[in-house]
Every structure is written in C-alpha cells, then in structure tokens.
Amino acid sequence: MVHSARGGAQTDNADGALLAYEHSVGVQLDGAMIVPRLQAIQAACSEARFGTCVLIEAQQSAGERPSARAVLRMAPAGIEPMIALAGEGGEAGERSTRAEDLAVVVRDNTTEQDRLTKEMARLQAFEARPDLSVADMIALSERIAATEAQIEAARRDGAQHRRRIETQLLTVELRARNGEQGRSEIGAAFREFGSTLATGTAWTIRVSAFLLPLAIVCIALFALLRAWWRRRRRG
C-alpha cells in the first residue's frame, strides 16, 4: 500500500511491469455540501472534464449522518484534478493507492489467443477438405464453434486487462465533518430519550416479574432454615 501516490503514475516501468492502479480518498465536508459535491463529481465525469471517465457506482445516504460514495474509472491524468474537486472546501482524510502488476496475466492471455488463433486456422484448413464425412463435418463444426467462443472470451479478457492498465480506478468517500457528526449524535440521543426510558422501564418490569417468584422462594427457604436452626439450638 502506498499513501499519497500520484494519480498520473506510469502504468509500466523498466522491469516490464504492467500496473493497474486503484486509488481511494476520503473527504470530510459540511453535511449540506455532500450531495451537491457528489453531483459535481458525476457531472465532471459525464462531461469528461478531466479526460476519459466512466461512473461505475454512485450512492448517497441522507439523515443524521449524511455520506456519499463515487467509484470512477478515469484516465490517469484526471485522477488528481478529480480528487481536488472532491476535496474543495473540505478536509482531506485518508488516502491510499495500490497497484497490481498484470504483466503475467497479459502475457498468458496473449499466449492463449495465439494458440487459439492457430488452432482455428488448422480447423478451417481441415474443413476445406472435400473427403469429409457427415459425422466429421458435424464434429468439426462443433469444434470450430467452441474455439470461436474461446477466442472471443480471451479477447474480452485482454480488452479488460488493457482497460485496467490504461485507466485507473478512483473511489471517493464523502463524509460529514467529525464535529457535525458528534452534534447529530447528541441530538439523536436527546430525541430518543423518551423511547430509551420507556424501553429501560419495560425491561426492568419484565426482569422484576421474572425474579419475583424466585425471591419469594428464597425468602421462604431462608425462614424455614432459620426456624429449624432455632429449634435445634433449643433442643
């Protein structure tokens, strides 16, 4: 985990690594600013204000503890400007950056595509033979269809790998300031005082009703033991 890493870092290096970056940043704002700020982030993404951007997830929570979350896939150069937009007028919280090296999976995918492409060429050459039986033609058609499906799946995986390398994932967490959350918690406690008192009173009554028979039995046993002890001493 690397803290405060640059969003525009290169996606490869001299060692041949192919890096997929993911960033996470938290921002504390006034509660009233959270929803408008989320909307501003969404607008900047949809307008490609900082380059290529796709909104993957956006959610918000109102009430006493407002918060919002946005997950974006962006061009590397747009990471820092988007973080600056998210934190405008607020307080920067935690931030982290992680990178996953996809060099091995990209290499394996390329090898798989090459293998499947050669296999398809052999199947197509075999398909062109004039001496195939009906059974051979049916089996060959099934094999070609299966290979085509495998090629398509490998191409989709390769495109996903390139997308992760060429763009970066940014998660923005917007939360109310700590002081504001504390005040809301105190206010909520006062508002819930009546219901809390009623719940506590009801619980006490139930416990008392449950323990009363046991207390009566204990008192009776104590009285019997005391009377027995007195008679024994007199005897």
Side-chain angles (χ1 to χ4, degrees):
M1 190 73 69
V2 180
H3 296 278
S4 298
R6 296 181 49 136
Q10 294 295 318
T11 56
D12 54 12
N13 56 35
D15 297 329
L18 298 174
L19 303 179
Y21 281 92
E22 296 181 4
H23 308 272
S24 178
V25 61
V27 177
Q28 293 184 353
L29 299 166
D30 293 337
M33 296 174 61
I34 289 179
V35 173
R37 184 58 48 82
L38 175 63
Q39 294 172 344
I41 292 172
Q42 291 176 281
C45 182
S46 64
E47 296 167 3
R49 191 178 308 167
F50 307 126
T52 301
C53 181
V54 176
L55 179 66
I56 297 175
E57 177 186 346
Q59 57 177 282
Q60 64 186 64
S61 175
E64 297 294 337
R65 301 176 185 176
S67 63
R69 182 172 187 263
V71 181
L72 315 165
R73 181 161 289 283
M74 305 183 60
I79 295 293
E80 294 299 334
M82 186 64 81
I83 291 176
L85 172 63
E88 185 177 351
E91 299 173 6
E94 69 281 359
R95 175 175 175 179
S96 64
T97 296
R98 66 180 296 269
E100 180 182 358
D101 188 359
L102 299 181
V104 174
V105 294
V106 169
R107 182 195 63 200
D108 291 346
N109 179 266
T110 301
T111 301
E112 179 68 4
Q113 288 195 51
D114 290 343
R115 183 189 68 80
L116 291 171
T117 300
K118 292 176 182 178
E119 181 177 351
M120 176 62 74
R122 288 195 299 269
L123 292 173
Q124 290 174 338
F126 192 71
E127 185 183 29
R129 290 177 53 177
D131 57 342
L132 290 178
S133 65
V134 174
D136 288 340
M137 292 179 62
I138 294 174
L140 185 59
S141 297
E142 293 176 351
R143 182 72 178 274
I144 289 175
T147 303
E148 286 177 343
Q150 290 177 323
I151 291 174
E152 183 60 29
R155 286 175 178 170
R156 285 196 302 268
D157 290 343
Q160 178 65 13
H161 298 155
R162 288 193 301 273
R163 181 169 173 263
R164 291 186 60 195
I165 293 168
E166 294 169 2
T167 62
Q168 299 181 5
L169 194 70
L170 172 63
T171 300
V172 179
E173 301 278 358
L174 304 175
R175 292 183 288 270
R177 298 181 192 273
N178 290 331
E180 189 172 343
Q181 288 186 352
R183 291 193 297 272
S184 67
E185 290 178 1
I186 294 173
F190 275 112
R191 286 192 296 274
E192 296 169 1
F193 178 81
S195 62
T196 302
L197 178 62
T199 301
T201 303
W203 182 84
T204 302
I205 293 172
R206 291 189 180 96
V207 171
S208 300
F210 177 78
L211 294 178
L212 182 59
L214 181 61
I216 294 173
V217 171
C218 290
I219 293 172
L221 287 174
F222 177 76
L224 290 172
L225 289 172
R226 187 176 181 184
W228 174 80
W229 179 254
R230 285 180 177 177
R231 286 197 301 269
R232 183 176 178 183
R233 291 185 63 186
R234 290 172 186 172

